[in-house]
Each structure stands twice: as C-alpha cells, then as structure tokens.
Amino acid sequence: MVQNTYFCRTKGDNMSRLRFDAVEAAFSKVPVNVELEARPDKIFASKVFDKVKMQKYLPQKSYDKMVEVIDNGAQLDSSVIDSVAEGMKRWAIECGVTHYTHWFSPLTGNTAEKHDAFIELDGKGGVIENFSAKLLRQQEPDASSFPSGGIRSTFEARGYSAWDPTSPAFIIGNTLCIPTIFVAYTGEALDYKAPLLKSISAIDKAATKVCRLFDEKVQKVHSYLGWEQEYFLVDEDLYMARPDLILTGRTLMGHESAKSQQLDDHYFGAIPERVSAFMQDLEIEALKLGIPAKTCHNETAPNQFELAPIFESCNLAVDHNMILMSIMKDVARRHGFRVLLHEKPFKGVNGSGKHCNWSLGTDTGVQLMAPGKSDKDNLRFITFVVNTLAAIYRHNGLLKASVMSAANAHRLGAAEAPPAIISSFLGSEVSSVLDHIEYNDDFVKILSKRELKLDIPQIPELLIDNTDRNRTSPFAFTGNRFEFRAVGSEANCAPSMIALNTAVAEQLEMFSKDVNELIQNGEEKEFAIVKVLRKYIKYSKPIRFDGNGYSGEWVDEALRRGLDCETSVPLIYDNYLSEDTIAMFQSENVMNESELRARNEIKWSTYTKKIQIEARVIGDMALNHIIPIATRYQSTLLDNIIKMETVFGKEEGDMLSKENIESVKEIAKNVADIRRLVEELVSRRKVANKIESARERAVAYHDGIAPMLEDIRYRIDHLELMVDDEHWTLPKYRELLFF
Ligand code: ADP
Ligand code: MG
C-alpha cells in the first residue's frame, strides 16, 4: 500500500481508479540498476565511426582524405568513398549491426530513417552482406510522406538523401545511422542540414576574410555550438493517465499545485534516486554515441532537469542534440519515466528551453568571441562582438521567427523566460568599451603605424571575471560566447543556427567591404577598422539592453526602439519572407526564395495542426472526463441535499445544505459554460479549416481558437478545485510534478 499522506487511504467506491492506480504504481517503483560498464574514456564514441575507427578500418590514403574533409571541409573525391563504405561496413558488422539507414532531419522537426538490411541477393539463391559506395553516398527514401511546402509537386516527388561526411556515422541498436542531407530532385533543400551546412560555409568565408585583417595565417573559421537541453520527467504511469500529455506533450488543464516552485528548493537539489539512475544511464548512452555530456543537474522547476555537453562544431552539435533527444525517450522508458521536451508542459511552472551557446574560432586556435592578450587581439574581439550585434539588430525579427513555434510561444514572455523580443546583453565591461569607442574621438589618434595601441580600458583583466549575467536576456554575451536563450527545448537547433550564422556572415561581408573601401581611399588599416566599428556600434545600439527583460516597461521601450515586438506566431513567421531576409539568404547562398516560401508554408501548417490537435483533445477531455466527473460529484451533493431534507424537513434541510446547493449551482454553470465553449470551438475550427491560405488559416487558429483553450481550461481548473479529490480521475499537478 502506498505510504504517503496524500494517498494513504483505502480504495472506496468513488475512488478514481485510473489516477489512484497510476499513483500507486508510481510510488512502488524502485530505481533501475545502472551498470557502469567502463570508465567514460573507455566507452566514449564506442558506437561512432570516428577518426580512431577510420584509422583502423580505412587505408591510410582514405583516412588522410577523410581527416581533410572533416577538419578543413575539403571536397570528397569518389575514389575514397568505396573504401570508406567498405571500412564502415566491416566495423559495423563487427559491432553486430545488421541494418543501415540514411539519417536525416526533414522539416517535420524530427529525424527520419529508412532501415535497410546489409544484404543483397547473391544470384545463387543466397544473400551476401553488401554496402556499396553508391548506398553510402546517396539514396532515394520514399520522400512523399515528408512535408516539402510545395517544392516537390507529385510528378517530381523524388527526394534524395546524400551523405554528410563531416558528421560521423553511428550505431543505434542494430542499425548503422549515416547522417545525410535531404534534397529535392531540383536540388532545393527539404531538410535543416543542407541550409545549415551552407550557413556554416558562409560564415567561414566571411569571418576568415575579417580575420585576415588581423592575421594573414587564418585559413578557416569554425562556428561552434554548445547547447543546454532542458526537459521534464514524469512517471510513466501518471503520464499514461493524462491523455493531454500523451497526445500534445503538455497539460491542457490542471490547477497549480499548493506547493510548486516557490521555495526554489528543486534547483540543484538532491536528485531523487530514480532520476539519478536515469541520468547516469543517459550519460553513458550519450558518451557511447560520442556526445560529450558534461553536466546533468536539476533545473528550477520540480521534475525539471538539464543536460549540457562540451561545445562542438555547429553541424555536429546539432546532430548530437537530435540524437540525444531521441535516445532520451528510450532511456526514460527503461526507467519508468516519460521525458517531456515540450517548451511549456505545465502552466504556472517554468518552461524548458535549449540555450544555444554560439561562438567562432579559427583554425589557428583563436576564440574570436573571447578577449585576448594584446590590443590587437582585443580589437579583433571587439570587431566580432560588434558585427554580431549589428547582425542581430538587423535581423532581430528573423531570429525570433527562427525559434518560434506553437509550443515555444507559451514559454517566451511567460515571466520566467526571455520575452518575445530579441535584445542583447553585453555586461557592463564590454558595454563600456563600446561606449568608449563610440564617443571618444581620441581613440583613433592613439594608433600608431607600427604598434597598435588602443585607448580602451584593460579588457582581459575585466572580463576574466565576467560573472554578472543577465538571465532575462534572450541573447547574452557570456565571456567567450553568445548565449541564444530563446531557443525552445523541443526544437532542432538548426533553424536558429542557420539564421544566426547567415546574418553574421552577411554583416561580416559588409564590414570587410566598408573597411577595404576606406583602405583603398588611403586610410590606415586600423583606423579604417575603428571607423567602421564606430558606425556599426551606433547602428546596433537599439539591440543592446542590459535591463530586466521580463519587465513590462521593456516592451514599451523596445517598441520605441523599433525592435520586432510581434507576439502572434503566424505573423512572426512573416519575417522569413521580408525583403531583407530573402536578400540575406540569397546573397549568402544559403536558401533561395522558393525554399523560404516552402518552409513558411510548412511552419504555418504545423502551427495550425498543433493548435487543432490541442483543441480536439481539450474538447474530448472536457466531454468525456471532466463533465462526467463533475456531474457525478454533483449527484453526490444532490443526494446529500435530498437526505438532509428528508431528515430535517425542507426549510431546515435547505438551510443546512446552503453551501452544497451553491456548489451544485456553480458546477452546473461551469459545466454549461464548458459545453458551450467546446461547441463554439468546434464551429470555429470548421470555419478556419475552410480557409485556403496556410498563413490565414494559422492566423485564424491563433486569433480565434488558441485563446478559447485558455477559457475552457480556466473553468476546468476551477472544477478541479471544487470536486472531491477522490472523484478526479486525472493525475494532478502535485502528483505529476513531485514524483
Ligand atoms: P550555464 O548554465 O551557466 O549557462 P552551462 O555550463 O550549463 O552554463 O553551459 C554552458 C554551455 O556553453 C555548455 O554547453 C558549453 O559547452 C557551452 N560553451 C562553453 N564555451 C563555449 C564556447 N566558446 N562556444 C560555444 N559554446 C560554449
Ligand atoms: Mg546557459
């Protein structure tokens, strides 16, 4: 029997079986034993065809070529692909693998796989294990089930997946997974990886050019990403008793628990044993797949946790995050949990984000977002910070669009997450340096030909202890990187990295052009750099905000500054089709206009579908769960009222039943309201579904349907407070959040 004050009671006739059984099951679970097979350094990347395996399974020439491709983005020539396919197959079969798949990220937001066995008919009635260069390089998955936003009309429905040699193949279960891009017959991207790779190459090109103003030796600039994945865990039995969690990933109803996160006692608190077993298991699985998991800890909300790896090159980090989100779900089930990646699973409780820590570094080992030792290093550091700010400012609406979704809209601006306005926090040290450059005309004079001397406060000393962080900023400078905090927990990091890399690439190109023009007109290089910097410091001023991003005043201030303050998700997506955005993606050769239009069609229709599902689920739950529960309880009250009348007579009985009579009336009113609202919801959906344009349909869902979910919820949550706890069949917040 369950030993808990809330539930220590016998099962009565009215006891909600569903909820009670779930609670009992949740309570009786014990931590799953996790066996640490080996030390982390022994298991790390054991399931990855990384350089160590390549060295062992490839001929030296092919190995050298692969290293060139991975490290320096060299072109892969077909001569090595044969031997890579052969080596990869040998390694995989030795690991017990029987199948392979091209692994890609279609625009659904998930990952997709099509599993094929390694076998082929040998022509003699048997089979042979085969995996050729052709199969490694390119495949034609049945693509018609993936969204294309109209890029692929049915007569040319072909889509191809093509090997990305810069992200190593890995093993999950008995399958060798080969990271690929996914493109249409026409070459247009149908996935996130293709434009991501293009954006990485755009920023490499633009940033290398700027680096060379400081150091001729730089050949390549890498963009880095270190994500921090937040998530909730819910006991599997409780989860199974909540149709809304199963079908939408969030609770569409549920009154706040009496104890929530007021005490802030969950953060870094003692992780319950079952959770810590899960985390240990997850870490082992992540390490085996080459994901350098580093920190696992509790987050602010009850049952909320975080996992962060060491940062990696942007492409690899994006893939690793997709892999992690997928293995998390499996590992959680082994431990009797379900993992919630939704940005806002619980109302009134902190949501989950995926902070994307972004930086640039050269092939000469310089971190471009970190201050250096010499004045020259620091001028370069300031150059990259200022250009990033200018890019963020110019495309602040697009950056917001890149993180926006039906789910993340619940989180952004919800008083505990960055607002739906992009701004950047720099901290007082960097801010004062920028102010100094902006206002101080002497600054340039101090430069001499031979030695660069900056009249700026000592940057390195000041920044080393850059601990004053502004948690409310959506795009904060944190000492050696920018942290994009508006990204949602469930999102693929790619869209935000594509927007960021491309915007900064475009800005760096402008910067180079401006500086070179001045140099051609006879200006000293350093003078030219500082002059152009000053221009962009002035230009990007409105994006700098070190104050409280959660405050109401900030919204007014941001409006005055001309920042994008739109909150409607479908309208925010318009930023992808603005003249500036299209010009940017085209000039950087990342996406063309038709790709952008296609993607927006998918974004709008995904938004509509998400709200549509939620509307259906809340309707079903209201009619099939909530109203029956409430009326059943109402009947017991009525029973009591009648019995009171029988014993005490009508007048006295009614007086004694005064509160119960009020409750009966209040339940009746709420039930009637809920019925009316659900009917209204259905008829509004019918009207909206007839709208032809994906954008207008999404707008109708946003304006007319999404707000009704809140109206219905309000009444359901009120009933939850009124109805006898024993009648309530759905696990409550206090159970979902504290077990
Ligand atoms: P916090 O929660 O305080 O922001 P964490 O230690 O949880 O810090 O996360 C920091 C994240 O930043 C990690 O994913 C880490 O890999 C990443 N990171 C650290 N330095 C860089 C860098 N130069 N570029 C990109 N990411 C970085
Ligand atoms: Mg962080």
Side-chain angles (χ1 to χ4, degrees), residues 319-354:
D319 282 354
H320 277 169
N321 182 247
M322 294 308 283
I323 299 172
L324 180 91
M325 288 197 289
S326 130
I327 61 169
M328 267 176 121
K329 292 176 188 163
D330 298 336
V331 177
R333 289 173 80 156
R334 281 212 290 271
H335 291 260
F337 289 120
R338 288 304 178 105
V339 61
L340 304 181
L341 290 172
H342 193 287
E343 281 79 1
K344 193 78 179 175
F346 304 101
K347 189 179 171 179
V349 174
N350 276 14
S352 299
K354 177 149 49 204

Side-chain angles (χ1 to χ4, degrees), residues 500-512:
L500 182 56
N501 283 335
T502 313
V504 177
E506 178 198 48
Q507 168 61 33
L508 288 168
E509 294 285 359
M510 287 186 205
F511 179 83
S512 301

Side-chain angles (χ1 to χ4, degrees), residues 90 134 179 364 446 507 628 631 675 683 688:
R90 223 155 27 91
K134 196 173 123 248
T364 55
I446 298 171
Q507 168 61 33
T631 39
R675 262 190 217 289
S683 61

Side-chain angles (χ1 to χ4, degrees), residues 228 306 355 357 469 471 478 481 483 485:
E228 300 163 53
E306 180 187 293
H355 295 179
N357 295 269
R469 298 237 194 136
R471 289 267 157 207
T478 50
R481 61 191 188 266
E483 187 168 338
R485 301 201 182 109

Side-chain angles (χ1 to χ4, degrees), residues 223-229 267-268 292 294-295 297 299 306-312 355-360 367 369-370 469 471 478 480-483 485:
S223 41
Y224 294 111
L225 165 63
W227 40 264
E228 300 163 53
Q229 178 70 52
Y267 199 57
F268 291 115
K294 193 162 187 303
T295 55
H297 59 74
E299 265 303 323
E306 180 187 293
L307 184 145
I310 298 168
F311 67 96
E312 302 175 285
H355 295 179
C356 284
N357 295 269
W358 173 89
S359 69
L360 299 172
Q367 287 288 329
M369 296 299 174
R469 298 237 194 136
R471 289 267 157 207
T478 50
N480 60 357
R481 61 191 188 266
F482 279 91
E483 187 168 338
R485 301 201 182 109

